[in-house]
Amino acid sequence: MEFNFLSHISHQLWGVKQIEKRDSVLTSKQQIDRLLRPGSSYFNLNPFEVLQIDPEATDEELKKRFRALSILVHPDKNQDDPDRAQLAFEAVDKAYKNLLDPEQKKRAVDVIQAGREYVEHNMKEKKKQLKKDGKPQFLEEDDPEMFRQAVYKQTMKLFAELEIKRKEREAKDMHERKRAREEEIETAEKAKREREWQKNFEETRDGRVDSWRSFQAGKSKAKKEKKPRSFLKPPKVKMEQRE
């Protein structure tokens, strides 16, 4: 069964305090577990989350973080679990390459910003409603840690939704390419059948003409050899003259 990211994300969120301490406290095994935890195919869509680095980090900081984390999860350093270590290393390498690409990096930053704006807009609307109802305008997201957790959660949802849409487009495109290919094959086979029929028609044309001529000649000969039908004529009767 496919992992339902959107319905299980709340159970997979790491606490903000744990996120803030994650840089050096996690061991190789813990980093591998983090990168391969349930739902990782969606969690790891955020390259900043994979590398545990802020979007505002400099290129040099990004490079240092990649080196440290890639060494930590490298299969050579985790020979007791090389297969999982390889998968974790590939996730780190992919995230780093994505952030080296300006377009991919901007897309990730835009998603994170959209998550923040969504939470801020939601808070604003909730406070309007509280004010209208005459209730205290206090939300749990007013706490900085709860606010960051809400942004983190919404950001992961946005990354997941974008990935789901991407897969749907990819599946649709694949279906269209398959259909176009099938039509192309059918057209080619039809053209081939027509060429073979035309070739066979041309090759047998002389034989058909000879057969027709022989048939016509046979009819003419039979007509010539046919004897005319004879009929018995009645005797002529002479009329006697009257005296």
Side-chain angles (χ1 to χ4, degrees):
M1 182 180 297
E2 183 179 358
F3 181 82
N4 190 330
F5 178 85
L6 297 179
S7 64
H8 289 83
I9 186 171
S10 297
H11 302 290
Q12 298 297 329
L13 288 172
W14 285 36
V16 174
K17 291 183 179 179
Q18 185 177 8
I19 295 172
E20 293 175 343
K21 294 179 180 179
R22 60 194 174 186
D23 289 333
S24 59
V25 298
L26 297 182
T27 64
S28 293
K29 183 181 183 306
Q30 289 172 327
Q31 284 288 7
I32 292 173
D33 290 342
R34 177 183 72 86
L35 292 167
L36 301 182
R37 67 193 185 278
S40 59
S41 60
Y42 287 107
F43 281 102
N44 293 348
L45 293 172
N46 183 349
F48 295 106
E49 171 61 22
V50 172
L51 297 178
Q52 301 175 320
I53 195 169
D54 293 329
E56 296 81 11
T58 64
D59 291 344
E60 185 60 28
E61 290 172 333
L62 174 62
K63 186 176 182 179
K64 288 181 179 179
R65 181 56 190 159
F66 167 69
R67 285 180 177 175
L69 190 55
S70 61
I71 291 174
L72 204 58
V73 300
H74 198 281
D76 291 345
K77 186 176 176 63
N78 299 274
Q79 296 185 9
D80 57 328
D81 196 4
D83 293 339
R84 295 181 74 246
Q86 180 63 37
L87 293 175
F89 178 81
E90 290 173 1
V92 171
D93 185 63
K94 181 180 179 181
Y96 180 61
K97 289 178 178 176
N98 282 343
L99 294 181
L100 289 180
D101 183 335
E103 185 177 341
Q104 293 286 345
K105 182 177 182 179
K106 182 181 183 305
R107 185 178 293 116
V109 171
D110 288 346
V111 173
I112 294 172
Q113 182 61 29
R116 174 180 289 274
E117 291 175 355
Y118 178 89
V119 173
E120 290 174 343
H121 175 74
N122 242 16
M123 290 176 64
K124 186 177 180 180
E125 292 300 313
K126 286 180 181 178
K127 287 188 175 184
K128 279 184 180 180
Q129 188 61 44
L130 289 173
K131 182 179 181 179
K132 184 178 180 180
D133 296 340
K135 297 179 180 179
Q137 299 175 46
F138 177 77
L139 302 172
E140 62 176 10
E141 291 88 352
D142 288 330
D143 183 300
E145 290 186 357
M146 297 303 295
F147 174 77
R148 278 180 282 181
Q149 186 170 345
V151 171
Y152 175 81
K153 178 179 178 179
Q154 184 59 33
T155 298
M156 292 297 101
K157 283 185 177 182
L158 290 177
F159 272 110
E161 288 170 356
L162 288 174
E163 178 65 6
I164 290 171
K165 289 180 180 179
R166 185 193 69 79
K167 287 183 176 180
E168 289 175 349
R169 289 195 302 271
E170 189 177 78
K172 183 179 179 181
D173 290 343
M174 185 178 296
H175 175 74
E176 290 297 324
R177 289 195 299 270
K178 181 181 179 182
R179 185 179 60 81
R181 179 56 180 163
E182 290 174 347
E183 290 180 354
E184 182 182 341
I185 292 173
E186 176 60 27
T187 300
E189 290 179 347
K190 182 179 179 181
K192 181 181 178 181
R193 290 194 297 269
E194 290 177 351
R195 288 194 302 270
E196 290 176 348
W197 183 89
Q198 187 65 30
K199 181 181 178 182
N200 182 65
F201 180 82
E202 294 293 336
E203 290 176 347
T204 59
R205 180 174 58 183
D206 292 341
R208 291 196 307 275
V209 171
D210 291 343
S211 296
W212 175 253
R213 287 174 177 168
S214 297
F215 174 72
Q216 290 295 94
K219 286 179 63 178
S220 298
K221 184 178 180 180
K223 188 174 182 180
K224 289 179 180 179
E225 293 177 350
K226 187 175 182 181
K227 295 180 179 180
R229 297 175 65 182
S230 59
F231 298 91
L232 294 176
K233 294 182 179 181
K236 291 182 179 181
V237 178
K238 292 182 180 181
M239 298 296 293
E240 294 183 357
Q241 293 182 351
R242 292 183 178 179
E243 293 181 356

